[in-house]
Amino acid sequence: FEASDLDRTLTSANALTQTLFGMDDPESDKYMRASGSHNLLPSDPTYKDYLIPSLAPFPIFTTGKGKNDITHRAYANCPTFHKRVRDKLYKSKKWKQLEAENQDLLMKLANWFPAHATDGVVQLKNIWNVYDALHVARTECVESQSDLTENSCKAFVSYDSVVTAATMLTTEEFEEIEKLAEHAEFLKFGAGIDTDPNDGVVTAGNLLGSNLLWKILNRSQDDGDFFLYSAHQATLMGLLATLQASKDFWNISNKKFFDYGSALIVEIHRSTGK
């Protein structure tokens, strides 16, 4: 099991090992700290509020920290990719058109997310951060009454403003935001070399998934039958772009974009023929 060096991906990998392989003693008093408690000392009265049961049977490895992670987080650390996005995609006719067509929605979001706004409008390049916060709030914070869930939500997002936005948006408005965020993410991370130029410009190409693909292929020749990588939506998009499959994925009708817990499964076979 490998993960990027972030709390949420490490915790997700740990949770998955518990689900796949079980816990020897569900009533154990062993605990681990949940994300959001890293600034607290054990002596803090609220420290115990962040503890969650943990008996992960497998260690989780990381292969790079910060800018050294060019496998799971190549999307954050590839200068060529960022140059393409900055100098080509954001200046393209397709991107500007998409932003102009959604001005009213982006202006409304600026009321709750001023940090992501310029001149009273949330920039399209920031739409994923806004959508992700709203998605967390709607799925984890608004409907749940758990004290632990509420503490976790407060640790990750600007709780009051995001929950206010999540409760004031209609279902139709949220779906519109989701669709816009998915379109923008596809143009940024999924526009591989198979993409029609009319849909945007080549951004990710094979830049973001090549290292991960080589690791998958090389490991198939060594010991071990199963490897799991706990990473990010952009990691999955980058791998699809490298495989020249991002456009096919985008065109699947009536299917969700990557949601929480999504996975790509790669199975390697050795040819016995010539």
Side-chain angles (χ1 to χ4, degrees):
F1 285 73
E2 282 187 12
S4 58
D5 190 47
L6 294 174
D7 282 355
R8 62 182 181 273
T9 48
L10 288 162
T11 301
S12 293
N14 271 306
L16 183 60
T17 62
Q18 292 178 14
T19 303
L20 287 176
F21 305 109
M23 300 172 66
D24 294 334
D25 181 10
E27 304 301 322
S28 172
D29 59 355
K30 294 181 179 179
Y31 289 86
M32 67 175 289
R33 289 191 298 172
S35 298
S37 65
H38 52 276
N39 291 325
L40 298 179
L41 295 174
S43 57
D44 190 292
T46 63
Y47 182 85
K48 65 180 186 302
D49 296 333
Y50 292 90
L51 297 179
I52 58 176
S54 177
L55 268 178
F58 288 92
I60 311 299
F61 296 93
T62 58
T63 56
K65 190 172 185 177
K67 294 187 179 298
N68 291 322
D69 187 348
I70 57 173
T71 303
H72 307 105
R73 302 191 70 222
Y75 65 89
N77 297 319
C78 178
T80 301
F81 166 71
H82 286 288
K83 181 175 175 59
R84 286 182 183 180
V85 170
R86 182 182 66 249
D87 298 342
K88 293 184 178 181
L89 178 62
Y90 291 165
K91 296 179 181 179
S92 69
K93 180 179 178 180
K94 180 67 176 180
W95 187 266
K96 292 180 179 179
Q97 179 183 352
L98 188 63
E99 196 163 35
E101 291 173 347
N102 293 276
Q103 278 292 291
D104 291 345
L105 182 62
L106 294 172
M107 288 178 64
K108 185 171 186 177
L109 291 173
N111 295 323
W112 299 302
F113 300 91
H116 295 298
T118 300
D119 297 328
V121 180
V122 168
Q123 294 183 295
L124 183 57
K125 66 181 181 180
N126 294 328
I127 189 63
W128 181 264
N129 294 327
V130 170
Y131 160 72
D132 194 38
L134 289 171
H135 195 186
V136 170
R138 289 173 68 90
T139 58
E140 302 297 330
C141 307
V142 175
E143 297 179 1
S144 174
Q145 301 300 318
S146 166
D147 290 339
L148 176 60
T149 300
E150 183 175 332
N151 283 331
S152 299
C153 292
K154 287 182 177 179
F156 279 113
V157 298
S158 178
Y159 187 75
D160 292 335
S161 62
V162 174
V163 170
T164 298
T167 53
M168 292 184 68
L169 288 169
T170 65
T171 299
E172 290 74 18
E173 286 175 325
F174 178 74
E175 290 177 349
E176 189 177 353
I177 294 169
E178 183 174 54
K179 184 177 180 179
L180 178 60
E182 292 170 352
H183 196 166
E185 291 297 285
F186 167 74
L187 291 175
K188 287 168 63 177
F189 301 114
I193 57 178
D194 60 327
T195 303
D196 187 327
N198 293 325
D199 290 335
V201 296
V202 174
T203 49
N206 60 6
L207 293 172
L208 306 184
S210 294
N211 289 332
L212 179 57
L213 181 59
W214 274 116
K215 177 173 281 192
I216 292 171
L217 294 175
N218 288 332
R219 276 181 162 169
S220 68
Q221 304 178 56
D222 300 323
D223 293 334
D225 298 315
F226 175 80
F227 299 91
L228 183 135
Y229 307 90
S230 179
H232 308 268
Q233 173 264 140
T235 312
L236 302 182
M237 289 299 297
L239 183 59
L240 282 174
T242 297
L243 295 171
Q244 300 183 31
S246 59
K247 187 178 180 182
D248 293 333
F249 181 83
W250 176 256
N251 287 335
I252 295 176
S253 60
N254 300 319
K255 295 291 184 180
K256 279 282 297 177
F257 204 62
F258 290 114
D259 207 343
Y260 299 139
S262 295
L264 288 178
I265 300 175
V266 180
E267 193 171 48
I268 307 297
H269 295 267
R270 185 186 299 277
S271 174
T272 57
K274 293 183 179 180

